């Protein structure tokens, strides 16, 4: 299946993920809002990012931070109105930025009017909008279910938490009388509605979507063949109706997601990618202890690249709202090395808000809105040294999530004022990526060495060749490379007589001659 080439803007995109609750509060209610995001667009642009992903900001009871939608067509009032969101799109575009919303196609909140209708005992338009069995007594195969809550006879499958009933996209293999094929009217109506949702926001100025749990829509589909076919249909429609829009999947297997027509797929902290080996495990590769592993990651990554082909992109996140913060397992200097790696790899980098200043995971917090242990990665942004770190004028006890209580918590203001800060390092790396075609999202990639330390790879485009040597360990290395040092993050590097002298805890970029 071939699709249109990905939109040109993706070649140069560096995304910034904003968790709207925690970014900037302009009405002193303790929770972030659209106006706050608009006011900080110049900040994001100055860092170098030219695209945004906003976590779900639709009407919701917020039992899973907005991943439990109760109205796909209305912005959550706590963030503002649809008009405010439209203005956000326009303000971003005026700055040369693109904006992704978070599409949650797999499930809604139990509060969604579709679900309430679907629960009714008399047939109606929404009877088949969700996956229902025909008995309340029989357990659903391989699934959690809502049972005994509806007038109708049956159990409703849930996708994630038990307040998130699964929308009905049909079954790839139907094994019970109540399981509907993908082309049945119920599943077809669900797909049509999701396209309407996408069209609604794209027509308002949104540039695409991060798609939640994209690989799990069709049930009883172990090889995801049904789900792939479903997304192929959506991508064909998108190419015809919104050719400049793009989709990134939370799927974690580009051989499936990109075949389904996604433009990019995330490396995830679960699944087979070995992404956690790099940053989030007992001995991360980026620790100076030098006990980490790169080989399993690189083997998987190369397979992913092969699956992605010429046009598919792998999205490389510094973190996200579901993972612990980079700085939980790495020191400030190690985080800088991790960024030097993420920002020199091909594909599309995603920076999670606050990672650019090394915001910490806040330990021992009570769960907020279904966050559980994810809550510590979702604390309000630390802008400056004023009250609530400049996030909000509300009393501290009203903040959405308590902030990092440490006296030395990092702030944007302090780091922007300090040329040696992590913030400046991240900005420099993004600028280098944007100034050198070899480092661009689609520049070529060749692994020169990926077993232990250091990791060495080459990026190239046109006549430019850049060798990137990644050495988080505390050992120095010498490598044969001809050229000049473009940049070094960490302790330093020099090229003398065709040899790169790579200091411990350093990532060096060598412009080859
Ligand atoms: C993945 C999202 O990233 C996560 O935050 C959410 O809880 C689940 N999907 C359910 O939608």
């Amino acid at each position: 299946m071939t699709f249109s080439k990905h939109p040109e803007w993706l070649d140069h995109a560096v995304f910034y993920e904003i968790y709207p609750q925690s970014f900037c509060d302009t009405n002193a209610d303790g929770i972030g809002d659209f106006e706050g995001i608009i006011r900080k667009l110049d900040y994001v642009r100055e860092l170098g990012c030219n695209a945004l992903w906003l976590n779900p900001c639709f009407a919701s009871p917020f039992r899973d931070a907005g991943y439990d939608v109760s109205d796909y067509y209305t912005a959550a009032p706590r963030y503002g109105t649809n008009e405010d969101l439209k203005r956000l799109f326009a303000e971003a575009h005026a700055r040369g930025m693109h904006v992704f919303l978070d599409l949650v196609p797999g499930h809604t909140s139990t509060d969604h009017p579709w679900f309430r209708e679907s629960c009714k005992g008399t047939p109606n338009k929404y009877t088949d909008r969700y996956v229902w069995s025909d008995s309340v007594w029989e357990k659903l195969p391989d699934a959690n279910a809502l049972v005994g809550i509806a007038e109708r006879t049956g159990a409703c499958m849930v996708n994630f938490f038990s307040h998130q009933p699964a929308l009905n996209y049909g079954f790839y293999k139907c094994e019970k009388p109540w399981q509907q094929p993908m082309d049945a009217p119920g599943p077809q109506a669900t797909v049509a509605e999701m396209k309407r949702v996408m069209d609604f926001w794209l027509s308002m100025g949104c540039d695409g979507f991060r798609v939640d749990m994209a690989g799990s829509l069709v049930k009883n589909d172990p090889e995801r063949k049904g789900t792939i076919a479903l997304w192929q249909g959506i991508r064909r429609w998108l190419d015809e109706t919104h050719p400049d829009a793009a989709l990134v999947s939370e799927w974690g297997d580009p051989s499936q997601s990109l075949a389904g027509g996604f433009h990019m797929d995330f490396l995830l902290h679960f699944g087979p990618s070995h992404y956690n080996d790099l940053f989030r495990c007992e001995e991360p590769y980026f620790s100076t202890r030098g006990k980490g592993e790169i080989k399993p990651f690189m083997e998987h990554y190369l397979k992913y690249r092969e699956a992605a082909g010429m046009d598919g992109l792998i999205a490389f996140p510094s973190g996200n709202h579901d993972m612990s913060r980079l700085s939980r397992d790495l020191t400030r200097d190690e985080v800088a090395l991790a960024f030097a790696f993420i920002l020199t790899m091909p594909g599309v980098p995603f920076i999670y808000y606050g990672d650019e200043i090394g915001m910490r995971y806040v330990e021992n917090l009570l769960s907020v809105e279904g966050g559980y242990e994810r809550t510590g990665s979702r604390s309000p942004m630390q802008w400056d040294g004023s009250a609530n770190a400049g996030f909000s004028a509300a009393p501290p006890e009203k903040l959405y999530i308590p902030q990092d209580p440490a006296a030395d918590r990092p702030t944007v203001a302090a780091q922007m004022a300090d040329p040696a800060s992590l913030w400046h390092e991240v900005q420099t790396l993004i600028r280098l990526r944007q100034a050198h075609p070899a480092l661009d999202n689609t520049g070529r990639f060749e692994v020169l060495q990926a077993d232990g330390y250091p990791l060495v790879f080459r990026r190239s485009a046109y006549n430019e060749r850049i060798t990137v040597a990644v050495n988080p360990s505390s050992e120095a290395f010498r490598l044969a490379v001809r050229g000049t040092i473009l940049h070094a993050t960490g302790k330093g590097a020099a090229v003398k007589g065709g040899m790169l002298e790579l200091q411990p805890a350093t990532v060096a970029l060598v412009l080859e001659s």
Side-chain angles (χ1 to χ4, degrees):
M1 178 85 36
T2 51
F3 303 104
S4 308
K5 192 188 158 355
H6 66 241
E8 202 264 344
W9 65 269
L10 276 189
D11 290 351
H12 320 291
V14 178
F15 273 81
Y16 190 85
E17 177 189 345
I18 293 182
Y19 192 69
Q21 291 89 322
S22 295
F23 199 55
C24 179
D25 169 23
T26 59
N27 63 353
D29 61 356
I31 202 152
D33 42 54
F34 294 140
E35 178 57 32
I37 298 174
I38 293 171
R39 288 191 200 165
K40 296 296 183 186
L41 286 175
D42 286 332
Y43 164 76
V44 178
R45 199 70 195 92
E46 193 172 349
L47 179 65
C49 296
N50 52 17
L52 300 177
W53 154 27
L54 310 185
N55 291 101
C57 48
F58 313 110
S60 165
F62 289 96
R63 293 187 201 105
D64 183 15
Y67 285 95
D68 48 334
V69 177
S70 59
D71 178 355
Y72 287 97
Y73 297 97
T74 305
R78 70 190 199 176
Y79 301 135
T81 61
N82 284 14
E83 277 308 304
D84 295 327
L85 191 47
K86 191 173 174 184
R87 194 159 49 87
L88 193 161
F89 298 144
E91 291 283 349
H93 294 162
R95 291 164 175 83
M97 303 168 86
H98 290 85
V99 185
F100 273 18
L101 294 180
D102 205 319
L103 182 73
V104 191
H107 48 267
T108 67
S109 157
T110 42
D111 289 9
H112 199 298
W114 300 343
F115 186 67
R116 291 211 207 98
E117 286 299 305
S118 198
C119 285
K120 289 188 176 159
T122 39
N124 60 59
K125 188 175 167 198
Y126 300 102
T127 298
D128 292 331
R129 179 55 50 94
Y130 296 83
V131 181
W132 289 93
S133 71
D134 55 6
S135 159
V136 285
W137 313 117
E138 206 182 306
K139 283 224 176 304
L140 290 188
D142 303 327
N144 294 323
L146 288 160
V147 200
I149 49 128
E151 194 177 60
R152 74 187 278 169
T153 300
C156 186
M157 194 180 264
V158 301
N159 259 5
F160 196 68
F161 289 139
S162 44
H163 52 74
Q164 288 162 321
L167 285 163
N168 182 19
Y169 293 90
F171 283 69
Y172 186 66
K173 272 193 234 143
C174 300
E175 287 165 345
K176 304 258 182 191
W178 51 268
Q179 298 180 342
Q180 302 178 355
M182 291 170 63
D183 59 1
Q188 286 296 306
T190 311
V191 176
E193 188 70 45
M194 241 0 107
K195 283 187 192 160
R196 258 197 294 283
V197 170
M198 293 168 83
D199 183 58
F200 180 81
W201 293 108
L202 291 169
S203 304
M204 204 180 276
C206 151
D207 300 289
F209 300 93
R210 175 269 188 186
V211 180
D212 187 69
M213 296 175 68
S216 65
L217 299 191
V218 177
K219 307 304 181 198
N220 204 10
D221 184 21
E223 292 168 50
R224 309 274 183 253
K225 287 187 180 157
T227 305
I228 292 169
L230 186 149
W231 282 111
Q232 286 175 338
I234 295 181
R235 171 67 188 271
R236 273 197 303 273
W237 164 81
L238 199 68
D239 281 350
E240 279 160 26
T241 53
H242 300 280
D244 232 19
L247 301 174
V248 60
S249 47
E250 186 199 33
W251 192 313
D253 184 345
S255 67
Q256 298 178 339
S257 55
L258 301 180
F262 280 92
H263 302 80
M264 332 173 236
D265 189 23
F266 274 114
L267 287 173
L268 294 170
H269 54 302
F270 53 86
S273 74
H274 287 267
Y275 167 85
N276 272 354
D277 297 357
L278 306 174
F279 320 114
R280 295 173 181 82
C281 62
E282 218 175 294
E283 291 297 347
Y285 187 70
F286 281 92
S287 158
T288 45
R289 290 187 294 276
K291 293 186 182 154
E293 282 202 283
I294 191 73
K295 202 172 170 194
F297 168 80
M298 201 47 86
E299 280 171 5
H300 270 82
Y301 181 76
L302 291 175
K303 275 192 214 147
Y304 281 8
R305 275 183 62 77
E306 209 181 311
M310 293 293 284
D311 204 43
L313 293 161
I314 293 171
F316 210 129
S318 70
N320 72 23
H321 60 289
D322 293 332
M323 308 182 198
S324 75
R325 290 262 184 197
L326 267 186
S327 56
R328 198 178 191 193
D329 295 293
L330 302 176
T331 64
R332 181 261 173 233
D333 291 350
E334 290 166 349
V335 170
L337 302 180
F339 267 115
F341 168 68
I342 293 170
L343 291 167
T344 51
M345 285 289 280
V348 183
F350 278 68
I351 298 178
Y352 183 50
Y353 82 96
D355 278 355
E356 73 276 22
I357 55 168
M359 255 174 73
R360 299 181 186 122
Y361 176 90
V362 184
E363 304 284 346
N364 305 319
L365 291 179
L366 287 177
S367 176
V368 174
E369 295 190 339
Y372 299 98
E373 67 270 33
R374 305 175 295 183
T375 307
S377 298
R378 301 174 176 187
S379 61
M381 183 66 172
Q382 294 154 201
W383 293 104
D384 57 36
S386 67
N388 300 324
F391 161 69
S392 165
E397 64 281 4
K398 267 194 78 184
L399 297 196
Y400 173 68
I401 290 174
Q403 288 182 302
D404 179 355
D408 67 346
R409 65 186 175 197
T411 66
V412 167
Q415 294 209 8
M416 285 180 79
D418 171 9
S421 68
L422 180 63
W423 190 90
H424 278 280
E425 187 58 34
V426 173
Q427 186 199 44
T428 301
L429 288 160
I430 298 175
R431 284 189 177 158
L432 282 166
R433 186 178 182 93
Q434 291 170 344
H436 291 272
L439 296 175
D440 218 345
N441 297 354
T442 51
R444 284 188 296 279
F445 176 70
E446 192 187 337
V447 176
L448 304 178
Q449 190 175 312
D451 191 4
Y453 295 86
L455 160 70
V456 188
F457 56 87
R458 177 182 287 133
R459 301 294 314 280
S460 54
Y462 310 108
N463 292 330
E464 190 181 54
R465 285 147 63 99
I466 295 175
T467 290
V468 182
V470 180
N471 178 30
S473 83
S474 50
E475 218 182 302
F477 291 95
R478 282 165 62 80
L479 305 160
V481 191
R482 294 208 170 271
T484 50
I485 300 284
L486 189 60
H487 181 72
T489 297
K491 296 217 160 50
V495 180
K496 286 182 201 147
M499 293 302 284
L500 168 66
E501 293 173 2
L502 186 62
Q503 294 302 308
T506 296
V507 174
L509 279 64
V510 182
L511 186 60
E512 291 181 37
S513 47

